[in-house]
Amino acid sequence: MATSNNSKSGKSSKAAPAAPAAKPTSKPAVKASVAAPQASAAPPASAAPPPVKASVAPQPAKASVAAKPVKARAPYEPTQEEIQTRAFEIYVSEGCKEGNDLEYWVRAENELRSV
């Protein structure tokens, strides 16, 4: 036991005895090794699965931008052979009149380009 000098009295004193031990309670404490079930544990086999919500397919977002303008196609440029063939068809349909070859050619070009 430790002794200490008392500066006022000059006497040495002994340390006070320790407090008596606490009485055990009537119920034993729960051991630390027993733990509550964790949320991540799998549910028992007899438990019903959670209800499934009906899923709705997501709708595509509507475009808030105006429709894109359609690009104009490059005009069709017929070949010389195509123009010649069509000009001859016009010539025959007009009764094979001589002297109008330029008119038939231009008509054939315009018809083929407008297609």
Side-chain angles (χ1 to χ4, degrees), residues 52-78:
V52 178
K53 293 182 180 179
S55 62
V56 177
Q59 298 295 324
K62 293 182 180 179
S64 60
V65 180
K68 294 180 181 178
V70 178
K71 293 182 180 179
R73 292 184 353 194
Y76 174 70
E77 193 60 39

Side-chain angles (χ1 to χ4, degrees), residues 7-94:
S7 59
K8 292 183 181 180
S9 66
K11 296 181 182 178
S12 66
S13 65
K14 292 185 178 180
K23 290 184 180 180
T25 60
S26 61
K27 293 183 182 178
V30 178
K31 293 182 180 179
S33 64
V34 177
Q38 297 178 357
S40 63
S46 64
V52 178
K53 293 182 180 179
S55 62
V56 177
Q59 298 295 324
K62 293 182 180 179
S64 60
V65 180
K68 294 180 181 178
V70 178
K71 293 182 180 179
R73 292 184 353 194
Y76 174 70
E77 193 60 39
T79 63
Q80 293 285 324
E81 186 177 335
E82 291 172 327
I83 297 170
Q84 182 180 5
T85 303
R86 180 62 188 140
F88 181 75
E89 291 169 355
I90 296 170
Y91 166 74
V92 172
S93 69
E94 296 285 324

